[in-house]
Amino acid sequence: MGEVKDWRPFVYGGVASITAEFGTFPIDTTKTRLQIQGQKIDQTFSQLRYRGMTDAFVKISREEGLRALYSGIWPAVLRQATYGTIKFGTYYTLKKLANERGLLTNEDGSERVWSNILCAAAAGAISSAIANPTDVLKVRMQVHGKGQHKGLLGCFGEIYKYEGVRGLWRGVGPTAQRAVVIASVELPVYDFCKLQLMNAFGDHVANHFISSFIASLGSAIASTPIDVIRTRLMNQRHVSITMNGVVTAAATPKLYSGSLDCAVQTIRNEGLPALYKGFIPTWVRMGPWNIIFFITYEQLKKY
């Protein structure tokens, strides 16, 4: 029975992540569209089509239909089934191991911040690296909206055929970095706030709501610049034309050589504020996402 119980954080984390994803995905689609627009070195996305989150939501709904707001939902669900399951399960498992070895708590019983951060960062990096292909699929399908008729398997096949395995791992560097930042901020802040508010609210929904809202703000501030870079790298194609097994030409230009190059070119061509494109939908989404996730997770823990 003890072994079964050890798997519960993984299962609960996955179920809670998927539930939160369904509830907030349209906001994520507006964020992705905002982050890829205005790239002066990429004529495809050089135009500023949307003025903000609300404008993007209205225009996508009007021009492409409501279904376009959920383009990429299935790779997103698949991502949460892997990323969410591994991240939260690993985090709480590492905390349990640290506690057993006396590394988690101080003499007064309070949890060590550095121990929480290390557990969260390790969990975030491992899970995001494993789930990166699903993230690439999600971004590609969100960007194309109604123009993406291939579906999950079709999109996967196209990337694999024209870009190879490397195409599925595009942007894995900033993806892992972003996950480390979010996990290092979000989970420890949530646990800290929950502990501090325990006397006032107890271990109830009001506590989970306030703690998750505070955690999401810090997470959005810290992670948005990396998220912009990650999204742009994932959306960029580097398709090679081959004849008789020999590469003859590159069908699309490679805009960015890596994370640093993307950051430098983005700032140079669009200004420093460009690194915070999509901040509002990022925060607006993180709030409800975390609230749905943590409340679902806490309720599942009771069973």
Side-chain angles (χ1 to χ4, degrees):
M1 186 68 184
E3 289 185 14
V4 175
K5 195 168 185 179
D6 288 340
W7 284 98
R8 287 181 183 176
F10 291 87
V11 176
Y12 295 167
V15 172
S17 295
I18 291 169
T19 304
E21 195 71 17
F22 267 108
T24 62
F25 193 77
I27 304 173
D28 189 60
T29 299
T30 65
K31 179 208 74 173
T32 300
R33 296 286 185 96
L34 288 170
Q35 287 181 338
I36 57 104
Q37 71 173 1
Q39 298 180 71
K40 294 182 180 178
I41 62 172
D42 183 359
Q43 295 305 310
T44 309
F45 302 105
S46 60
Q47 183 183 357
L48 290 169
R49 293 182 59 195
Y50 313 111
R51 293 192 303 272
M53 181 185 75
T54 305
D55 186 51
F57 190 89
V58 172
K59 282 184 177 176
I60 293 169
S61 302
R62 184 187 299 153
E63 296 170 8
E64 304 173 46
L66 288 172
R67 286 185 63 183
L69 291 168
Y70 273 92
S71 291
I73 183 61
W74 295 117
V77 168
L78 185 60
R79 176 181 181 271
Q80 292 303 337
T82 52
Y83 172 70
T85 300
I86 298 168
K87 181 173 93 167
F88 291 98
T90 303
Y91 173 66
Y92 288 111
T93 300
L94 288 173
K95 279 186 68 174
K96 182 182 176 183
L97 291 172
N99 188 45
E100 289 173 355
R101 286 160 177 74
L103 301 172
L104 184 64
T105 57
N106 295 308
E107 292 180 1
D108 61 358
S110 61
E111 294 186 351
R112 293 188 176 103
V113 175
W114 65 265
S115 184
N116 261 329
I117 291 176
L118 285 177
C119 290
I126 293 167
S127 54
S128 65
I130 293 171
N132 195 79
T134 59
D135 230 353
V136 173
L137 290 168
K138 176 182 78 75
V139 168
R140 296 281 179 94
M141 292 176 75
Q142 282 180 318
V143 169
H144 289 277
K146 70 173 184 179
Q148 179 59 262
H149 298 298
K150 297 179 178 62
L152 173 60
L153 294 177
C155 188
F156 173 83
E158 185 180 79
I159 294 172
Y160 183 76
K161 180 179 179 181
Y162 293 109
E163 301 175 61
V165 176
R166 289 182 65 183
L168 293 167
W169 297 95
R170 198 175 298 285
V172 68
T175 297
Q177 293 161 13
R178 175 179 176 267
V180 168
V181 169
I182 289 178
S184 298
V185 174
E186 191 176 87
L187 293 174
V189 169
Y190 174 79
D191 281 350
F192 175 79
C193 292
K194 180 185 168 185
L195 196 64
Q196 298 303 310
L197 295 171
M198 198 66 77
N199 290 333
F201 298 100
D203 193 10
H204 300 297
V205 172
N207 187 340
H208 309 155
F209 183 94
I210 297 169
S211 298
S212 57
F213 182 80
I214 295 170
S216 67
L217 175 60
S219 186
I221 293 170
S223 69
T224 298
I226 305 173
D227 194 33
V228 171
I229 294 167
R230 176 190 75 104
T231 300
R232 291 185 172 193
L233 286 174
M234 285 184 170
N235 188 54
Q236 105 177 342
R237 288 167 170 75
H238 190 55
V239 182
S240 298
I241 300 173
T242 59
M243 291 186 67
N244 299 322
V246 180
V247 177
T248 58
T252 52
K254 193 168 186 179
L255 304 173
Y256 309 112
S257 60
S259 302
L260 185 59
D261 181 53
C262 182
V264 170
Q265 291 206 50
T266 298
I267 295 170
R268 182 185 297 156
N269 294 316
E270 303 167 59
L272 193 61
L275 291 176
Y276 273 91
K277 281 185 175 180
F279 171 77
I280 297 299
T282 297
W283 182 31
V284 168
R285 180 181 186 245
M286 274 185 175
W289 197 100
N290 283 327
I291 289 164
I292 294 170
F293 171 83
F294 283 115
I295 289 176
T296 304
Y297 186 85
E298 297 290 352
Q299 295 307 308
L300 286 171
K301 278 167 63 178
K302 295 178 180 178
Y303 296 98

